[in-house]
Amino acid sequence: MSDEFANPQPTTTGWRRFLPRLSLPRFSMPGLSLPRSESGRSRLMTGLRWGGGIILATMLLYYPVGAAFVHRINDDVAFNPGNVPAEASAAVATAAALIDREVNATAWPGNDPWFFPGAILDNMPNFQAGEIQALQRVVTELRDQIGRSRGTSSTDPALQNAASAINTRPDIWYFDLNKSWAPLTPSVTYYRDAMKSLIDFNTRLVSGQAVFERRADNLLSTLERISQDLGAASNKIDQEIDAESAAWFDTGADDIFYFNKGQLYAYGLLLNALGRDFQPILAEKGAGTVWQRMVESMLEGAKLQPLFVINGEPGSIAQPNHLAEQGFYLLRARAQLGELQDILQK
């Protein structure tokens, strides 16, 4: 019989086969005798394998359990900043409160590196990114139009700081070795700066040291740009349905759905607050009812939260299409924005 069959080895099965087989070196020293019994070696290997199994089980639980702990979609449509002084802006207060809730009271997994459990999440980061996109638009309009006199005076320094800070990518962490070896300022730090600047603006507005122009043309300009954003979101839905609705699994559908959900949610809250700021103008134009219906359309779309986002083929009986359902509310809100623009132009 050949030597290769002289000393057969046991076959490792189950999860133990994923553990490395360790070969311990043997030492010999004068006057020192080490135990070399088979039972001692067996106990040592059993202990190492149990330890490796525990480490492996911990790693397998770390991501799903940690991600479940981090995951939270803040889509409470009754959210508000609390009492706002009459002289202050409800829209500015709502913007600051939204930022505060998302970066201070909630985790921000959109910039988590791979060794954080939040890195495996995608619905929550996309929802938060959609909120930030809406905040970027509204804060920029506050800086360029509403927060200055007739658009000709210099920009308010607090709104300038807020707009610069909020217009930051949501996925920046402390380090990105692909771009720089130097430490970076993470996204949430910029967003906290934006929040502080918005609070400062409202404080100065109450004391008469800042400007908030409640004019129909300012409001009209803001609505036009928000309508463009909703149009882009609707177009993205159309493209995804055309390209992927026949596929069994569409891994991009939930990204689009939750980004749009965050955008609709933030726009709904911000425009609801902006309607209070511009209530005299809306009453004068007879636009209050249309405005409220527009806000309701956005928030109804934001409340959609299927267990799984399915991009089924249009007209299919077996599969729903949640993107198409969301697109209905997007288009209805955009149509109502167009109606409001017509009313404000009269």
Side-chain angles (χ1 to χ4, degrees), residues 15-344:
W15 57 266
R16 290 184 179 87
R17 63 193 174 92
F18 295 106
L19 300 179
R21 185 174 297 278
L22 301 178
S23 178
L24 299 179
R26 297 180 179 180
F27 300 92
S28 62
M29 294 180 63
L32 179 63
S33 177
L34 295 179
R36 297 171 59 185
S37 66
E38 288 297 324
S39 61
R41 291 178 59 191
S42 176
R43 285 195 299 270
L44 177 59
M45 293 305 296
T46 300
L48 289 173
R49 287 174 178 171
W50 270 106
I54 292 171
I55 293 173
L56 179 61
T58 301
M59 292 301 296
L60 291 175
L61 291 173
Y62 172 72
Y63 283 101
V65 173
F69 181 78
V70 169
H71 180 74
R72 185 189 304 172
I73 302 292
N74 292 316
D75 57 358
D76 176 16
V77 297
F79 177 79
N80 64 80
N83 294 327
V84 179
E87 301 84 359
S89 163
V92 171
T94 300
L98 275 172
I99 298 171
D100 180 45
R101 185 190 65 182
E102 294 302 325
V103 302
N104 292 327
T106 311
W108 190 268
N111 65 349
D112 279 354
W114 65 268
F115 48 84
F116 284 4
I120 69 172
L121 296 173
D122 61 349
N123 293 345
M124 179 182 176
N126 277 296
F127 176 80
Q128 291 179 319
E131 287 182 295
I132 289 297
Q133 198 280 335
L135 285 162
Q136 289 171 347
R137 172 63 66 197
V138 171
V139 173
T140 299
E141 290 303 306
L142 287 170
R143 178 195 64 187
D144 294 344
Q145 299 291 335
I146 301 174
R148 59 196 300 182
S149 298
R150 294 287 173 182
T152 58
S153 63
S154 60
T155 58
D156 185 273
L159 292 180
Q160 177 63 47
N161 292 338
S164 298
I166 200 66
N167 280 281
T168 302
R169 290 191 356 252
D171 59 350
I172 302 174
W173 194 56
Y174 291 97
F175 293 96
D176 186 351
L177 299 183
N178 292 324
K179 297 183 178 180
S180 173
W181 287 88
L184 303 174
T185 302
S187 305
V188 292
T189 300
Y190 287 107
Y191 299 156
R192 290 186 183 109
D193 289 343
M195 177 194 71
K196 293 174 184 176
S197 295
L198 291 171
I199 293 173
D200 174 62
F201 173 79
N202 248 0
T203 301
R204 292 189 299 106
L205 192 60
V206 171
S207 62
Q209 300 175 7
V211 174
F212 193 90
E213 286 285 323
R214 293 171 169 85
R215 301 195 323 267
D217 58 331
N218 277 348
L219 187 57
L220 178 62
S221 174
T222 300
L223 296 182
E224 287 174 350
R225 286 168 174 78
I226 292 175
S227 180
Q228 292 170 3
D229 287 346
L230 296 187
S234 178
N235 185 57
K236 187 69 174 177
I237 287 177
D238 289 343
Q239 292 175 350
E240 190 69 16
I241 291 175
D242 291 342
E244 301 292 341
S245 62
W248 281 99
F249 299 102
D250 181 7
T251 57
D254 61 335
D255 295 342
I256 295 171
F257 181 90
Y258 276 94
F259 183 88
N260 291 342
K261 176 182 172 73
Q263 193 175 11
L264 281 170
Y265 175 74
Y267 271 143
L269 294 183
L270 291 167
L271 287 172
N272 187 46
L274 201 62
R276 296 199 298 273
D277 289 335
F278 283 83
Q279 194 277 331
I281 299 296
L282 296 177
E284 178 187 340
K285 298 286 186 177
T289 301
V290 179
W291 186 278
Q292 192 57 39
R293 287 204 301 264
M294 176 263 298
V295 169
E296 289 172 357
S297 293
M298 291 183 176
L299 295 180
E300 286 174 13
K303 287 190 291 186
L304 296 176
Q305 190 163 343
L307 184 60
F308 299 103
V309 177
I310 300 174
N311 182 16
E313 192 168 359
S316 170
I317 298 175
Q319 286 184 315
N321 192 308
H322 296 117
L323 290 179
E325 184 180 5
Q326 185 183 65
F328 164 76
Y329 291 102
L330 272 169
L331 290 176
R332 189 171 75 177
R334 193 180 183 210
Q336 289 159 341
L337 280 168
E339 185 178 355
L340 283 165
Q341 292 171 55
D342 291 340
I343 293 173
L344 293 172

